[in-house]
Amino acid sequence: MAGEFDLIDKYFCRQKLERSDVLLAQGDDCAIVSCPADKQIVISTDTVVAGTHFLPDAPASWVAHKALASNLSDIAAMGAEPAWVSMAITLPSLDSEWLEEFCDSFFALADAHNLKLIGGDTTKGPLSISLTIQGLVAKGKALTRSGAKAGDIVCVSGNLGDSHAGLEVILDKNKCVLPSASELEGRHFITSSRVELSQKLVGLASSCIDISDGLISDIQHIMKRSSCGVDIDVSLLPVSEELEAFSLHPDSEYKDAWRYALCSGEEYELCFTVSPDLLESVQALSNEIKAIGVVNESRILTLHQAGNTLDAKLFGFDHFRE
Ligand code: ADP
Ligand code: MG
């Protein structure tokens, strides 16, 4: 696009953070990084598109935060430490105010995680941001979806459901009068990824995933990759007081906070499994970690509430849901 190189220099080369393992960043055909001999590199790409993943008029600071937080969450799911990121950005126009706000937010979050922007691509077209993030983890120690074993305890790293309730408020302004609506809206906008906590789970958790599509959907990825089943007690799902109050209102979409907790996407909390003898060590890491269920050999997902079995199929959630 016109003025592409000036734009790249002005906005995408401004990060002050330096990493000694970045030998060459923006300005050449490729970036060059070095990796310690005892580490492995984990790599993940995520794209956000205006109109699909965020409303076209969403604030630039939030778009940047959301794009990067979801990438950081993937790094967290592997127990890795963030290192480098590349950004392919498509912009409808050269809007300096938008770019200022976008970059301030992007680099604030990147700096907070010692993550260096090392390159990318800038094009003109409908707004979208695609990030490829890379992280470092001790050789052979990455947390994956495939290690859960029958008898392991299923845990989550913090309250679930707020993000979906917040989205409900954003999409239907009439709901802004519901209890705690503004707090929940804020939690949809700004989520933090469990990057520090997950590194402490290395060597303790048997499997791990970040909750991006909703617990009920993401837990099934662990089940598939680990060839196991999971039994969740919905009364153990951690929810905020704000969500409790919101869900009690007759105009809320779901009438129980635990339904939000099961289905809410874009949480960026971790769901992981741990052998029962390590549960105490894991819970000592953070009082937000809660045990919510048990792994079994059945290969199916069962949900319980006060001794009653619920039908898990009723709670499916994916991108194609109307
Ligand atoms: P090439 O033509 O070799 O693909 P570009 O002109 O696309 O190079 O990019 C020039 C330099 O600027 C490259 O080093 C590239 O990594 C960097 N760059 C381009 N866009 C971005 C961006 N959005 N963020 C960070 N670096 C970028
Ligand atoms: Mg290019």
Side-chain angles (χ1 to χ4, degrees):
M1 69 194 276
E4 176 190 334
F5 298 111
D6 291 345
L7 186 151
I8 294 167
D9 273 351
K10 184 162 177 206
Y11 296 103
F12 299 123
C13 295
R14 62 158 70 166
Q15 188 180 17
K16 298 267 182 327
L17 178 95
E18 299 210 0
R19 288 184 59 104
S20 58
D21 52 12
V22 176
L23 311 178
L24 188 58
Q26 292 96 324
D28 216 305
D29 291 309
C30 292
I32 307 177
V33 295
S34 57
C35 175
D38 58 343
K39 297 269 169 88
Q40 287 172 325
I41 302 173
V42 298
I43 308 171
S44 168
T45 299
D46 253 326
T47 302
V48 290
V49 178
T52 304
H53 301 96
F54 56 89
L55 301 175
D57 60 351
S61 58
W62 180 66
V63 174
H65 186 98
K66 183 180 168 89
L68 186 50
S70 71
N71 273 253
L72 283 165
S73 185
D74 287 324
I75 291 289
M78 305 298 288
E81 166 201 341
W84 319 296
V85 64
S86 333
M87 179 199 307
I89 189 163
T90 306
L91 297 164
S93 63
L94 207 171
D95 177 344
S96 48
E97 206 179 309
W98 192 93
L99 277 163
E100 283 291 339
E101 193 186 319
F102 178 89
C103 288
D104 282 353
S105 166
F106 185 89
F107 289 129
L109 186 57
D111 286 0
H113 292 285
N114 198 25
L115 176 71
K116 175 80 178 163
L117 180 67
I118 55 168
D121 198 27
T122 305
T123 51
K124 187 170 179 174
L127 179 61
S128 86
I129 300 115
S130 182
L131 299 176
T132 297
I133 193 166
Q134 303 185 52
L136 296 168
V137 65
K139 258 191 180 163
K141 299 287 184 201
L143 303 175
T144 66
R145 301 174 178 184
S146 59
K149 289 181 194 60
D152 283 357
I153 309 297
V154 182
C155 296
V156 291
S157 59
N159 287 340
L160 302 179
D162 287 355
S163 177
H164 188 89
L167 182 61
E168 218 178 295
V169 177
I170 293 162
L171 295 177
D172 180 355
K173 284 293 160 204
N174 294 326
K175 293 194 176 173
C176 68
V177 296
L178 267 62
S180 303
S182 61
E183 288 92 335
L184 294 165
E185 187 177 347
R187 283 181 206 158
H188 179 80
F189 274 122
I190 299 297
T191 45
S192 51
S193 316
R194 293 290 187 175
V195 176
E196 282 76 25
L197 176 65
S198 80
Q199 290 171 51
K200 297 182 192 147
L201 292 175
V202 170
L204 294 171
S206 53
S207 71
C208 186
I209 190 168
D210 66 312
I211 304 177
S212 51
D213 292 332
L215 175 66
I216 200 154
S217 167
D218 291 318
I219 190 83
Q220 294 182 61
H221 295 305
I222 289 189
M223 286 167 44
K224 189 166 178 205
R225 302 286 300 193
S226 300
S227 305
C228 66
V230 166
D231 186 4
I232 291 175
D233 180 344
V234 299
S235 59
L236 297 176
L237 293 171
V239 291
S240 68
E241 282 175 16
E242 289 82 4
L243 182 61
E244 290 273 13
F246 184 89
S247 60
L248 284 175
H249 194 279
D251 291 341
S252 64
E253 182 180 348
Y254 303 122
K255 299 296 164 252
D256 305 286
W258 59 263
R259 287 179 194 259
Y260 283 91
L262 277 182
C263 299
S264 182
E266 301 169 82
E267 297 276 19
Y268 306 126
E269 293 292 350
L270 300 173
C271 172
F272 58 93
T273 57
V274 58
S275 119
D277 52 314
L278 295 174
L279 182 62
E280 209 174 306
S281 313
V282 159
Q283 288 194 307
L285 297 173
S286 157
N287 56 15
E288 288 186 274
I289 293 176
K290 299 286 184 261
I292 59 159
V294 183
V295 179
N296 58 42
E297 283 169 356
S298 72
R299 302 214 178 187
I300 56 168
L301 176 62
T302 42
L303 301 175
H304 278 99
Q305 184 190 33
N308 296 320
T309 303
L310 304 168
D311 185 356
K313 286 200 196 73
L314 293 177
F315 303 103
F317 181 90
D318 64 38
H319 284 297
F320 301 104
R321 193 182 74 144
E322 287 299 311

